[in-house]
């Protein structure tokens, strides 16, 4: 009989704990989506894991960036328990998404939290170059981003800047020593990217750089 009552008490405590955690789970993602920073802080103070994922496998930080929920982002980044290297289904990190959107303050904060500047595969510099965000590109390069990083298909930041970014982004990468001769898996150089995208400004910059780098006896470039 004594063990029976002990089991009853244990089950009651477990049920109460489960119910509380389930409620916290719902509260957390509701607060993330509504940018309710005070609720997030209260949950973290009670020990809630900021890296908990929702039904789609998305962590709170990525959801907050998608909404966007800037006040929640700040609270999550202030928590040392928050993993700033979470990924979405496309293997994109918070630093990559912030770089693509031109969110320089957020990029600065993520770098300060030791976000991976040289993430394997598609890297933050690819994304910053795609958006033509020169200030963020400079910031990444100052923090030792590899200028000729290759994506899974061999594309470099210079190629992305040439096709999608801006002339200023192309010029920055050229000034910093990006390799104009590299080719992706389709055998395309950054100049090819610029021509395909009908970007005369980028074509001019890359053609001039290629000509300047051409050595006597190299033949056609």
């Amino acid at each position: 009989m004594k063990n029976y009552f002990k089991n009853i008490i244990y089950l009651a405590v477990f049920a109460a704990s489960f119910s509380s955690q389930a409620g916290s789970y719902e509260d957390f993602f509701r607060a993330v989506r509504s940018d309710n920073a005070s609720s997030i802080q209260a949950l973290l103070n009670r020990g809630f894991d900021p890296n908990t994922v929702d039904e789609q496998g998305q962590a709170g930080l990525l959801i907050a960036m998608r909404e966007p929920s800037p006040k929640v982002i700040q609270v999550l980044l202030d928590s040392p328990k928050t993993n700033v290297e979470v990924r979405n289904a496309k293997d994109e990190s918070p630093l990559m998404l912030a770089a693509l959107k031109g969110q320089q303050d957020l990029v600065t904060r993520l770098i300060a939290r030791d976000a991976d500047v040289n993430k394997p595969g598609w890297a933050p510099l690819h994304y910053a170059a795609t958006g033509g965000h020169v200030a963020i590109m400079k910031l990444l390069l100052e923090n030792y981003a590899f200028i000729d990083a290759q994506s899974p298909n061999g594309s470099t930041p210079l190629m992305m800047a040439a096709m999608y970014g801006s002339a200023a982004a192309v010029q920055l990468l050229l000034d910093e020593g990006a390799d104009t001769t590299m080719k992706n898996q389709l055998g395309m150089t950054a100049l090819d990217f610029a021509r395909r995208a009908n970007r005369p400004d980028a074509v001019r910059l890359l053609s001039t750089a290629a000509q300047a780098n051409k050595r006597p006896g190299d033949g056609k470039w």
Side-chain angles (χ1 to χ4, degrees):
M1 183 64 70
K2 186 176 181 180
N3 287 336
Y4 172 78
F5 284 114
K6 284 177 66 177
N7 289 336
I8 291 295
I9 294 171
Y10 172 79
L11 289 172
V13 171
F14 176 80
S17 174
F18 179 81
S19 176
S20 174
Q21 295 215 8
S24 296
Y25 178 89
E26 298 296 335
D27 292 343
F28 178 76
F29 289 106
R30 188 180 302 115
V32 168
R33 293 185 176 93
S34 62
D35 201 20
N36 189 337
S38 59
S39 292
I40 295 295
Q41 188 64 67
L43 286 165
L44 297 184
N45 290 343
R46 296 205 301 267
F48 189 85
D49 182 359
N51 304 306
T52 301
V53 298
D54 69 1
E55 295 87 347
Q56 285 74 48
Q58 290 289 296
L61 180 57
L62 289 171
I63 295 172
M65 293 182 65
R66 183 187 67 201
E67 287 300 318
S69 298
K71 291 182 286 187
V72 165
I73 291 172
Q74 181 172 335
V75 171
L76 290 174
L77 290 183
D78 284 341
S79 171
K81 294 182 179 180
T82 299
N83 176 16
V84 299
E85 284 303 312
V86 292
R87 303 280 194 271
N88 64 16
K90 297 179 180 178
D91 195 39
E92 295 169 321
S93 69
L95 182 56
M96 292 170 67
L97 297 175
L100 181 64
K101 294 176 182 178
Q103 298 170 316
Q104 186 174 351
D105 289 344
L106 184 51
V107 167
T108 300
R109 292 206 65 194
L110 287 164
I111 291 175
R113 283 291 315 272
D114 293 324
D116 193 355
V117 171
N118 287 307
K119 171 189 165 293
W122 291 103
L125 187 58
H126 284 105
Y127 275 40
T130 298
H133 303 302
V134 174
I136 292 176
M137 293 168 66
K138 288 181 179 178
L139 184 58
L140 292 168
L141 290 169
E142 288 168 2
N143 283 273
Y144 311 106
F146 181 39
I147 196 167
D148 292 321
Q150 290 183 282
S151 74
N153 65 17
S155 296
T156 65
L158 184 60
M159 294 173 191
M160 304 310 292
M163 192 163 197
Y164 303 108
S166 62
V170 172
Q171 186 65 65
L172 172 65
L173 292 170
L174 292 174
D175 290 344
E176 294 295 324
D179 188 344
T180 60
T181 66
M182 293 181 69
K183 298 179 180 181
N184 70 357
Q185 290 179 354
L186 296 177
M188 294 176 63
T189 65
L191 181 56
D192 295 326
F193 271 73
R195 286 171 173 158
R196 174 167 290 188
N198 193 25
R199 295 279 309 281
D201 51 352
V203 168
R204 176 179 54 80
L205 290 171
L206 289 161
S207 296
T208 301
Q211 187 64 39
N213 293 332
K214 184 180 175 185
R215 297 190 302 270
D218 280 349
K220 291 184 179 180
W221 48 269

Short mmCIF file of all heavy atoms in Angstrom, two decimals, residues 164-195:
data_model
loop_
_atom_site.label_atom_id
_atom_site.label_comp_id
_atom_site.label_asym_id
_atom_site.label_seq_id
_atom_site.Cartn_x
_atom_site.Cartn_y
_atom_site.Cartn_z
N TYR A 164 24.33 38.92 -59.01
CA TYR A 164 23.19 39.41 -58.24
C TYR A 164 23.46 40.69 -57.45
O TYR A 164 22.53 41.41 -57.11
CB TYR A 164 22.73 38.34 -57.24
CG TYR A 164 22.38 37.02 -57.86
CD1 TYR A 164 23.20 35.91 -57.70
CD2 TYR A 164 21.21 36.87 -58.60
CE1 TYR A 164 22.87 34.68 -58.26
CE2 TYR A 164 20.87 35.64 -59.17
CZ TYR A 164 21.71 34.55 -58.99
OH TYR A 164 21.39 33.34 -59.55
N GLY A 165 24.72 40.93 -57.11
CA GLY A 165 25.04 42.01 -56.19
C GLY A 165 25.11 43.38 -56.85
O GLY A 165 24.27 43.74 -57.68
N SER A 166 26.12 44.13 -56.50
CA SER A 166 26.29 45.48 -57.02
C SER A 166 27.71 45.66 -57.55
O SER A 166 28.60 44.85 -57.25
CB SER A 166 26.04 46.50 -55.91
OG SER A 166 26.99 46.33 -54.86
N ALA A 167 27.89 46.71 -58.33
CA ALA A 167 29.23 47.01 -58.83
C ALA A 167 30.19 47.27 -57.67
O ALA A 167 31.35 46.87 -57.72
CB ALA A 167 29.18 48.22 -59.76
N ALA A 168 29.68 47.91 -56.63
CA ALA A 168 30.52 48.20 -55.46
C ALA A 168 30.96 46.91 -54.78
O ALA A 168 32.09 46.81 -54.27
CB ALA A 168 29.77 49.09 -54.47
N ALA A 169 30.07 45.90 -54.75
CA ALA A 169 30.42 44.61 -54.15
C ALA A 169 31.50 43.91 -54.98
O ALA A 169 32.45 43.33 -54.43
CB ALA A 169 29.18 43.73 -54.04
N VAL A 170 31.36 43.97 -56.30
CA VAL A 170 32.37 43.38 -57.18
C VAL A 170 33.71 44.09 -56.98
O VAL A 170 34.76 43.44 -56.84
CB VAL A 170 31.93 43.48 -58.65
CG1 VAL A 170 33.08 43.06 -59.58
CG2 VAL A 170 30.70 42.62 -58.91
N GLN A 171 33.67 45.42 -56.94
CA GLN A 171 34.90 46.19 -56.80
C GLN A 171 35.59 45.88 -55.47
O GLN A 171 36.83 45.75 -55.43
CB GLN A 171 34.59 47.69 -56.87
CG GLN A 171 35.83 48.58 -56.89
CD GLN A 171 36.66 48.37 -58.14
OE1 GLN A 171 36.21 48.67 -59.25
NE2 GLN A 171 37.88 47.85 -57.98
N LEU A 172 34.83 45.77 -54.39
CA LEU A 172 35.43 45.46 -53.09
C LEU A 172 36.17 44.13 -53.14
O LEU A 172 37.32 44.04 -52.69
CB LEU A 172 34.34 45.40 -52.01
CG LEU A 172 34.82 44.88 -50.64
CD1 LEU A 172 35.83 45.84 -50.03
CD2 LEU A 172 33.64 44.65 -49.71
N LEU A 173 35.54 43.12 -53.70
CA LEU A 173 36.17 41.80 -53.75
C LEU A 173 37.42 41.82 -54.64
O LEU A 173 38.42 41.18 -54.32
CB LEU A 173 35.17 40.76 -54.25
CG LEU A 173 34.01 40.48 -53.28
CD1 LEU A 173 32.94 39.63 -53.94
CD2 LEU A 173 34.52 39.78 -52.01
N LEU A 174 37.36 42.57 -55.72
CA LEU A 174 38.54 42.69 -56.58
C LEU A 174 39.66 43.42 -55.84
O LEU A 174 40.83 43.01 -55.89
CB LEU A 174 38.19 43.44 -57.86
CG LEU A 174 37.26 42.71 -58.84
CD1 LEU A 174 36.88 43.62 -60.00
CD2 LEU A 174 37.92 41.43 -59.36
N ASP A 175 39.30 44.49 -55.13
CA ASP A 175 40.30 45.25 -54.37
C ASP A 175 40.95 44.40 -53.29
O ASP A 175 42.13 44.58 -52.95
CB ASP A 175 39.66 46.48 -53.72
CG ASP A 175 39.28 47.54 -54.74
OD1 ASP A 175 39.77 47.48 -55.89
OD2 ASP A 175 38.47 48.44 -54.39
N GLU A 176 40.17 43.45 -52.75
CA GLU A 176 40.67 42.60 -51.66
C GLU A 176 41.38 41.34 -52.18
O GLU A 176 41.80 40.50 -51.40
CB GLU A 176 39.53 42.21 -50.73
CG GLU A 176 38.92 43.38 -49.96
CD GLU A 176 39.90 44.02 -48.99
OE1 GLU A 176 40.73 43.28 -48.40
OE2 GLU A 176 39.86 45.25 -48.83
N GLY A 177 41.46 41.22 -53.50
CA GLY A 177 42.26 40.12 -54.07
C GLY A 177 41.50 38.88 -54.46
O GLY A 177 42.11 37.80 -54.58
N ALA A 178 40.21 38.98 -54.71
CA ALA A 178 39.45 37.80 -55.14
C ALA A 178 40.00 37.28 -56.46
O ALA A 178 40.42 38.04 -57.34
CB ALA A 178 37.97 38.15 -55.28
N ASP A 179 39.99 35.98 -56.60
CA ASP A 179 40.54 35.32 -57.79
C ASP A 179 39.52 35.35 -58.93
O ASP A 179 38.46 34.73 -58.85
CB ASP A 179 40.90 33.87 -57.43
CG ASP A 179 41.66 33.15 -58.53
OD1 ASP A 179 41.67 33.64 -59.68
OD2 ASP A 179 42.23 32.08 -58.24
N THR A 180 39.85 36.07 -60.01
CA THR A 180 38.92 36.19 -61.13
C THR A 180 38.95 34.97 -62.05
O THR A 180 38.09 34.84 -62.93
CB THR A 180 39.26 37.43 -61.97
OG1 THR A 180 40.60 37.31 -62.47
CG2 THR A 180 39.14 38.70 -61.14
N THR A 181 39.93 34.09 -61.87
CA THR A 181 40.08 32.95 -62.79
C THR A 181 39.36 31.70 -62.32
O THR A 181 39.26 30.73 -63.07
CB THR A 181 41.57 32.61 -62.97
OG1 THR A 181 42.11 32.12 -61.73
CG2 THR A 181 42.36 33.83 -63.41
N MET A 182 38.85 31.71 -61.10
CA MET A 182 38.20 30.51 -60.59
C MET A 182 36.93 30.20 -61.37
O MET A 182 36.23 31.11 -61.84
CB MET A 182 37.88 30.67 -59.09
CG MET A 182 39.13 30.73 -58.22
SD MET A 182 38.75 30.90 -56.46
CE MET A 182 38.03 29.28 -56.12
N LYS A 183 36.62 28.91 -61.48
CA LYS A 183 35.44 28.46 -62.21
C LYS A 183 34.58 27.57 -61.32
O LYS A 183 35.09 26.86 -60.45
CB LYS A 183 35.86 27.68 -63.46
CG LYS A 183 36.66 28.51 -64.46
CD LYS A 183 37.06 27.66 -65.67
CE LYS A 183 37.85 28.49 -66.67
NZ LYS A 183 38.22 27.70 -67.87
N ASN A 184 33.26 27.62 -61.55
CA ASN A 184 32.38 26.73 -60.81
C ASN A 184 32.28 25.39 -61.54
O ASN A 184 33.01 25.14 -62.50
CB ASN A 184 31.01 27.38 -60.59
CG ASN A 184 30.21 27.50 -61.89
OD1 ASN A 184 30.68 27.17 -62.97
ND2 ASN A 184 29.00 28.00 -61.77
N GLN A 185 31.38 24.54 -61.11
CA GLN A 185 31.28 23.20 -61.70
C GLN A 185 30.83 23.22 -63.15
O GLN A 185 31.03 22.25 -63.88
CB GLN A 185 30.34 22.34 -60.86
CG GLN A 185 30.90 21.96 -59.50
CD GLN A 185 29.93 21.13 -58.67
OE1 GLN A 185 28.79 20.91 -59.06
NE2 GLN A 185 30.39 20.66 -57.52
N LEU A 186 30.24 24.33 -63.58
CA LEU A 186 29.83 24.46 -64.98
C LEU A 186 30.93 25.10 -65.82
O LEU A 186 30.72 25.37 -67.01
CB LEU A 186 28.55 25.29 -65.08
CG LEU A 186 27.30 24.69 -64.43
CD1 LEU A 186 26.12 25.65 -64.54
CD2 LEU A 186 26.96 23.34 -65.07
N GLY A 187 32.07 25.37 -65.20
CA GLY A 187 33.18 25.98 -65.91
C GLY A 187 33.03 27.47 -66.10
O GLY A 187 33.70 28.07 -66.96
N MET A 188 32.18 28.11 -65.32
CA MET A 188 31.92 29.54 -65.45
C MET A 188 32.76 30.36 -64.48
O MET A 188 32.88 30.00 -63.30
CB MET A 188 30.44 29.84 -65.21
CG MET A 188 29.51 29.25 -66.27
SD MET A 188 27.77 29.55 -65.86
CE MET A 188 27.70 31.35 -65.92
N THR A 189 33.32 31.45 -64.97
CA THR A 189 34.04 32.40 -64.12
C THR A 189 33.07 33.50 -63.68
O THR A 189 31.92 33.57 -64.14
CB THR A 189 35.20 33.05 -64.90
OG1 THR A 189 34.64 33.84 -65.97
CG2 THR A 189 36.15 32.00 -65.45
N ALA A 190 33.56 34.39 -62.83
CA ALA A 190 32.74 35.53 -62.40
C ALA A 190 32.36 36.40 -63.60
O ALA A 190 31.24 36.93 -63.67
CB ALA A 190 33.50 36.35 -61.36
N LEU A 191 33.27 36.55 -64.56
CA LEU A 191 32.97 37.32 -65.77
C LEU A 191 31.83 36.67 -66.55
O LEU A 191 30.95 37.36 -67.07
CB LEU A 191 34.23 37.44 -66.63
CG LEU A 191 34.10 38.23 -67.93
CD1 LEU A 191 33.60 39.64 -67.66
CD2 LEU A 191 35.44 38.27 -68.66
N ASP A 192 31.84 35.36 -66.62
CA ASP A 192 30.73 34.65 -67.28
C ASP A 192 29.41 34.91 -66.57
O ASP A 192 28.36 35.08 -67.21
CB ASP A 192 31.01 33.15 -67.32
CG ASP A 192 32.22 32.79 -68.17
OD1 ASP A 192 32.44 33.47 -69.19
OD2 ASP A 192 32.93 31.83 -67.81
N PHE A 193 29.46 34.92 -65.24
CA PHE A 193 28.25 35.21 -64.46
C PHE A 193 27.72 36.60 -64.80
O PHE A 193 26.51 36.78 -64.98
CB PHE A 193 28.57 35.13 -62.96
CG PHE A 193 28.40 33.77 -62.35
CD1 PHE A 193 29.31 32.77 -62.61
CD2 PHE A 193 27.33 33.50 -61.52
CE1 PHE A 193 29.17 31.50 -62.04
CE2 PHE A 193 27.17 32.24 -60.94
CZ PHE A 193 28.09 31.24 -61.21
N ALA A 194 28.62 37.57 -64.85
CA ALA A 194 28.21 38.95 -65.13
C ALA A 194 27.61 39.06 -66.53
O ALA A 194 26.60 39.77 -66.74
CB ALA A 194 29.40 39.88 -64.98
N ARG A 195 28.20 38.39 -67.49
CA ARG A 195 27.68 38.42 -68.86
C ARG A 195 26.32 37.75 -68.95
O ARG A 195 25.40 38.25 -69.63
CB ARG A 195 28.67 37.74 -69.81
CG ARG A 195 29.92 38.58 -70.10
CD ARG A 195 30.96 37.79 -70.86
NE ARG A 195 32.08 38.64 -71.29
CZ ARG A 195 33.29 38.19 -71.58
NH1 ARG A 195 33.55 36.87 -71.49
NH2 ARG A 195 34.24 39.02 -71.97
#
